[in-house]
Amino acid sequence: MDRNQSRRQVAAMKQSLFDQGLLDEQFIQLEELQDDANPNFVEEIVTLHYRDSSRLISSIEQALKERNPLDFNKLDTLMHQFKGSSSSIGAKKVKAECNLFREYCRVGNAEGCMRSFQQLKKEYAALRKKLEAYFQLARQAGPQETACRSK
Amino acid sequence: MAIVGDFFRHNLTEFLHDSPSAAPELHVLAVDDSHVDRKVIERLLKISSCKVTVVESGTRALQYLGLDGETSSLGFNSVNVNLIMTDYSMPGMTGYELLKKIKESSVFREIPVVIMSSENVLTRIDSCLEEGAEEFLLKPVKLSDVRRLKDFIMKGKAKEDEKRSLKRMRSIDCSPPPSATCSTISLPCDPSPSLLSPLSSKKARL
C-alpha cells in the first residue's frame, strides 16, 4: 500500500471515529501537541489512560459489589476520576456514560448505576479496540500523518 | 579614582540585574493527581517554553516549595516558581486548600495560582477567586489557555521587575561620586576615597 493511500485510510478512520460520536475536539488538541520529537504523544497519553481506566473500573466493580447499601459517594468519586481521564483524551461517548452514572449516584438509584456501568464498560471496550486499530494504522502510515504541529 | 569607578559600576550592574533569571523563561509548578493530566499539562507548558515541575498532590507541592514545615523555610522563593497551576479535586488536600496555604505564606502569596477543574460550579469558581486565585480554567486545558496565561504572567513579571529596579534606583540617594565615569545613577557614598564608608552607612540603616 503506498504512502498516500495509508494516510488517506488513517484520515478516514479518524473521521469515522468523530462521525460516530466517539471522539471530540480534545483528541485534535492532543494531536496538535505532537511534533517530530514527540510523534507518539497521543498514543502515550491514551496508554496512560488505559492504565488508569483499568484500575478505576476494577475499583468501581468492587464498590458495586458492596451493596446494602451502595456507597454512592465513593462511586461518584471514582467515576469523577474516570470521567476526567476520559475527557482528557477526548472520549466523548464514554464521558457521556460517566455523566449518566454520576446522575444515578446523585439520586441514589442503584439499578441505574449498575445498568449504566455495564453500558459504560461496553463503550470503553469498543473505543479502546478502535483506537488500537487507529494507532496501529497511523504508525504504519508514518509519523507525518498524526504530527500536525510545525515547529 | 578609576578603581573606585570600576567598583561602583560593577555593583550598579548587579543592582539593576538582581534577578538571577535574566532569561524570560517562566517556571511553572503544576499539581494534579491524574497521571494523564500531569502528562498533558507538562506538554502544554513545555511547548509554551516554560520550565515545568509537576507533582501529584498538594502535599508534594508544599514540600517542593518548602512550606510543609518539615524543612525550615529559606524565607524566599528559592525554587523560583513564577506560576502555580493546580487541579481542584484531589484526594487529601484539594486545590482550594493548597491555594489557601500558598496565600497564607509571606514568601509565596504573590505567586499567581490558577485552579483547573472539570466542573463548572459557580460557587466553586467564586470561592477560589475570592481566596486569591488568578484564574479558574475549565478542563481539559487547551494550549490557547496556557499561552494566554503565560502572556499575562510575563507582562506582570516584566512590570514587577521594572518596578523593583526603579525602587532600587530611588532608594539610593546621594550626590554623584567624584569620578564621572559611572554617574548615570547616584550611589550611597560620601566622596571619601575609603570604600568602607558606603558599606558601613548601609549597615547602620539595616
Side-chain angles (χ1 to χ4, degrees), chain B residues 121-183:
Chain B
V121 180
L122 226 52
T123 48
R124 177 182 293 187
I125 298 172
D126 280 344
S127 41
C128 285
L129 294 177
E130 243 166 72
E131 202 57 44
E134 198 63 45
E135 193 163 338
F136 190 96
L137 291 177
L138 221 49
K139 280 174 146 186
V141 176
K142 300 204 253 296
L143 191 57
S144 53
D145 292 327
V146 173
R147 285 202 168 127
R148 189 173 38 85
L149 198 55
K150 186 194 173 186
D151 285 344
F152 176 73
I153 305 289
M154 294 289 274
K155 283 206 188 100
K157 187 170 186 285
K159 278 201 192 126
E160 269 310 308
D161 288 347
E162 198 188 307
K163 250 198 272 175
R164 225 182 296 133
S165 339
L166 285 173
K167 250 193 202 169
R168 286 259 175 152
M169 285 166 70
R170 275 191 229 114
S171 75
I172 299 160
D173 84 339
C174 73
S175 42
S179 100
T181 46
C182 66
S183 19

Side-chain angles (χ1 to χ4, degrees), chain A residues 8 13 16 39 63 66-68 78 84 96 106 111 118 144:
Chain A
R8 275 199 299 271
M13 199 183 263
S16 159
E66 294 156 10
R67 315 195 65 183
N68 304 318
L78 289 169
R106 242 162 252 165
E111 280 311 307
Q118 294 311 313
Q144 288 89 330

